[in-house]
Amino acid sequence: TELPPPPPPPVVAPTNRTRDVIVTTVLLLVGVFDVVTAFATFADLGASLSLVYKQLGIDGTVATDLAAPYGLAINITVLVITIAVSLLLIARHRRAFWVPLAGYVLAGIVSSGLVIALMLNDPAYQAWLTQNQ
């Protein structure tokens, strides 16, 4: 009597779909583009906020000694972490498209928080708020 042949190994569907890798790559490239184009804004955050102040009718300047470098450093750090986590998930054959989306949201929240904190601590903006209450 012959033994039956062993069953074929189970077919495991790959979880790392080409579409996920393409979408993740495109989203990461959008993030890189966004950080590169925002570089000029963060490098001269005082001038950018001065334009906003002028539109609001606020006299004075924006105190931005540390805000611009911190904002840029935070965005670059979030981007690097986002890229690293995305590549790690891709290498482990896991879905990664959500990582750039989460990184983009996090960078937006951090940047907005930085600008709001900067404005709320600016004497010119505080005086304008007091005057217009």
Side-chain angles (χ1 to χ4, degrees), residues 7 13 19 37 43 51 71 83 88 105 120 124 129:
R19 180 176 42 203
T37 56
L51 291 174
I83 291 171
L88 180 67
V105 169
L120 290 176
L129 280 177

Side-chain angles (χ1 to χ4, degrees), residues 16 20-21 24-26 28-29 79-100:
N16 188 9
D20 179 59
V21 174
T24 303
T25 303
V26 169
L28 289 173
L29 290 173
L79 178 65
V80 168
I81 291 170
T82 300
I83 291 171
V85 171
S86 296
L87 293 176
L88 180 67
L89 289 177
I90 288 171
R92 291 185 177 179
H93 302 287
R94 298 232 170 118
R95 291 196 190 272
F97 75 91
W98 62 271
V99 177

Side-chain angles (χ1 to χ4, degrees), residues 19-102:
R19 180 176 42 203
D20 179 59
V21 174
I22 292 171
V23 169
T24 303
T25 303
V26 169
L27 290 172
L28 289 173
L29 290 173
V30 168
V32 169
F33 177 77
D34 186 52
V35 168
V36 169
T37 56
F39 182 81
T41 301
F42 278 107
D44 198 6
L45 192 56
S48 299
L49 286 178
S50 291
L51 291 174
V52 173
Y53 279 20
K54 188 175 183 178
Q55 291 172 349
L56 292 173
I58 301 173
D59 294 327
T61 59
V62 182
T64 60
D65 293 341
L66 295 176
Y70 283 174
L72 188 59
I74 289 168
N75 278 336
I76 290 173
T77 303
V78 169
L79 178 65
V80 168
I81 291 170
T82 300
I83 291 171
V85 171
S86 296
L87 293 176
L88 180 67
L89 289 177
I90 288 171
R92 291 185 177 179
H93 302 287
R94 298 232 170 118
R95 291 196 190 272
F97 75 91
W98 62 271
V99 177
L101 296 173

